[in-house]
Amino acid sequence: MEIEGKLAERVRELRHERGWSQEELADRAGLHRTFISQIERAVKRTTIRSVSKLAKAFDVKMGDLLD
């Protein structure tokens, strides 16, 4: 699986575990809700900066989002 697919699965999994909507995750990460949707569908490539924001929102290491 490509990196975008791994990131998509992990973001969706962590968001569901926490009971967050895409909008809540977007607010916590300082990103737009539609961007979160694109990441979760693996249709949008993202920057390391956005991965860092997601990791901080989830309180995990960046590598945890890509494994």
Side-chain angles (χ1 to χ4, degrees), residues 1-43:
M1 179 182 300
E2 291 189 28
I3 194 83
E4 291 88 1
K6 289 179 182 181
L7 179 63
E9 282 185 3
R10 190 68 177 133
V11 167
R12 190 171 33 255
E13 178 183 304
L14 288 170
R15 184 175 62 78
H16 284 218
E17 284 177 5
R18 287 160 174 76
W20 296 347
S21 65
Q22 288 179 344
E23 187 169 351
E24 184 169 357
L25 173 56
D27 288 344
R28 289 173 180 263
L31 301 168
H32 197 276
R33 186 205 54 81
T34 58
F35 186 63
I36 299 297
S37 174
Q38 291 171 336
I39 290 171
E40 287 190 1
R41 291 181 288 126
V43 297

